[in-house]
């Protein structure tokens, strides 16, 4: 479950319970509809909404037959890299997914070709272009898996803003991010207000307390 032994997960458990409750209120199609409605009014979206809309647009670029996800990496309110899930450069796109019935983020070796999640794709694109990711924010259209969360930590990203998506059992990636001090922001659409709202967990690394 990606618990780090000896750390206090009380605040994460509270965040997780609230997030799971809110997640059941949203669907991906509702997300797209809400963004379209906000843009059609001519109103200026808030910063998180603006960058998440860009990430959502990225997700439409995938050729993955299972699901599309998009990512934006932002420093100083400027996009420094982006990505969507799919195969490495030069690989043909598969016609079927060998992981269609498996939990998200699990059993990469079930794919007939190697695949990248949108988060790691964005981080690799930043490395390829020489863009700095330390201290950046990352916007993701779904919950980061464990492998992507490891990459997020290594890239020095300080905050993860993620949206509704198929939740992963026990949230291994989010638990790792929490334990290592990465801030988590769950972004959801509120039907009552007709706008997006945020559920945030500010984190400080607890690893120094482990001996």
């Amino acid at each position: 479950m990606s618990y780090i032994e000896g750390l206090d997960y009380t605040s994460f458990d509270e965040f997780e319970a609230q997030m799971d409750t809110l997640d059941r209120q949203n669907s991906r199609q509702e997300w797209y509809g809400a963004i379209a409605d906000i843009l059609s009014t001519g109103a200026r979206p808030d910063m998180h909404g603006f960058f998440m809309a860009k990430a959502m647009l990225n997700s439409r670029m995938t050729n993955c037959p299972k699901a599309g996800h998009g990512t934006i990496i932002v420093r100083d309110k400027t996009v420094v890299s982006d990505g969507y899930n799919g195969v490495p450069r030069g690989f043909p796109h598969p016609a079927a997914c060998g992981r269609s019935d498996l939990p998200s983020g699990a059993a990469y070796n079930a794919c007939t070709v190697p695949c990248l999640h949108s988060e790691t794709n964005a981080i690799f694109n930043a490395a390829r272009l020489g863009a700095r990711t330390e201290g950046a924010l990352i916007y993701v259209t779904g919950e980061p898996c464990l492998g992507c969360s490891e990459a997020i930590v290594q890239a020095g990203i300080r905050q993860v803003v993620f949206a509704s998506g198929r939740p992963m059992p026990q949230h291994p990636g989010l638990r790792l991010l929490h334990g290592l001090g990465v801030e988590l922001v769950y972004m959801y659409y509120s039907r009552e207000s007709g706008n997006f709202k945020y559920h945030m967990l500010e984190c400080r690394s607890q690893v120094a307390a482990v001996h």
Side-chain angles (χ1 to χ4, degrees):
M1 290 190 294
S2 293
Y3 282 97
I4 300 176
E5 186 178 356
L7 299 193
D8 181 5
Y9 281 88
T10 304
S11 59
F12 179 84
D13 291 341
E14 295 170 355
F15 174 83
E16 175 187 45
Q18 182 69 7
M19 181 187 70
D20 287 347
T21 300
L22 294 169
D23 185 70
R24 287 192 288 272
Q25 299 177 13
N26 285 184
S27 68
R28 180 59 60 86
Q29 201 57 43
E30 188 170 31
W31 261 91
Y32 285 122
I35 289 174
D37 288 345
I38 291 172
L39 294 177
S40 68
T41 65
R44 189 173 189 266
D46 63 25
M47 184 184 71
H48 284 328
F50 173 67
F51 289 123
M52 188 61 78
K54 286 177 175 284
M56 286 283 181
L57 185 60
N58 269 13
S59 73
R60 291 297 182 96
M61 291 298 293
T62 182
N63 281 319
C64 176
K66 182 180 179 183
H69 282 290
T71 292
I72 297 286
I73 299 177
V74 175
R75 289 190 83 249
D76 299 324
K77 300 183 180 180
T78 302
V79 175
V80 297
S81 185
D82 62 358
Y84 52 87
N85 60 312
V87 295
R89 297 173 188 272
F91 264 88
H93 292 278
C97 181
R99 299 171 53 249
S100 57
D101 297 323
L102 297 171
S104 185
Y108 284 115
N109 58 354
C111 284
T112 56
V113 295
C115 291
L116 297 169
H117 281 186
S118 65
E119 301 96 314
T120 49
N121 218 346
I123 290 168
F124 293 159
N125 284 337
R128 182 170 177 263
L129 297 172
R132 185 180 176 190
T133 56
E134 185 177 7
L137 282 66
I138 191 168
Y139 292 81
V140 191
T141 58
E143 177 184 328
C145 72
L146 179 58
C148 288
S149 296
E150 292 168 347
I152 287 168
V153 171
Q154 290 299 89
I157 291 169
R158 68 175 178 83
Q159 186 180 90
V160 177
V161 184
F162 64 102
S164 297
R166 186 170 65 171
M168 297 179 198
Q170 300 175 322
H171 310 286
L174 297 183
R175 289 185 185 277
L176 178 73
L177 293 169
H178 165 73
L180 295 177
V182 178
E183 294 179 350
L184 304 176
V185 180
Y186 176 66
M187 184 176 173
Y188 65 98
Y189 176 69
S190 168
R191 294 170 185 156
E192 291 74 19
S193 68
N195 211 326
F196 293 102
K197 292 189 174 182
Y198 311 97
H199 182 48
M200 182 173 182
L201 176 62
E202 294 187 39
C203 300
R204 292 183 179 177
S205 178
Q206 303 177 64
V207 175
V210 180
H211 300 287

